[in-house]
Amino acid sequence: METSRLTPRRSWLFVALSGIVAAGTVYVFGPSDSGVLASVAVGCVVSLMFAVGYAVSNERVKQTLIDLLSLLP
């Protein structure tokens, strides 16, 4: 089994950048009435989903948390 080449610092940087990219995408390409607040909310949810995927080792708990987070905006 091959291990990840990402260090913990780079993994958390990836989590943060994923949220920023998601927020930017929603702000630029989202519905015309979605403002900065909605874009930031989406970015936070995406970051939380990636953080759960990275930090939680139990697959059942991980899937439950991601399912709950997907119910947010």
Side-chain angles (χ1 to χ4, degrees), residues 17-69:
L17 288 176
S18 298
I20 292 168
V21 168
T25 302
V26 169
Y27 184 74
V28 173
F29 298 109
S32 60
D33 62 342
S34 66
V36 174
L37 186 61
S39 301
V40 170
V42 169
C44 288
V45 170
V46 168
S47 291
L48 284 172
M49 291 177 102
F50 275 103
V52 165
Y54 174 68
V56 177
S57 60
N58 186 327
E59 289 296 323
R60 183 173 285 182
V61 173
K62 184 186 302 186
Q63 188 60 48
T64 302
L65 289 173
I66 290 175
D67 288 343
L68 289 173
L69 284 172

Side-chain angles (χ1 to χ4, degrees), residues 3 5 13-14 30 38 73:
T3 59
R5 297 185 303 177
L13 181 64
F14 175 76

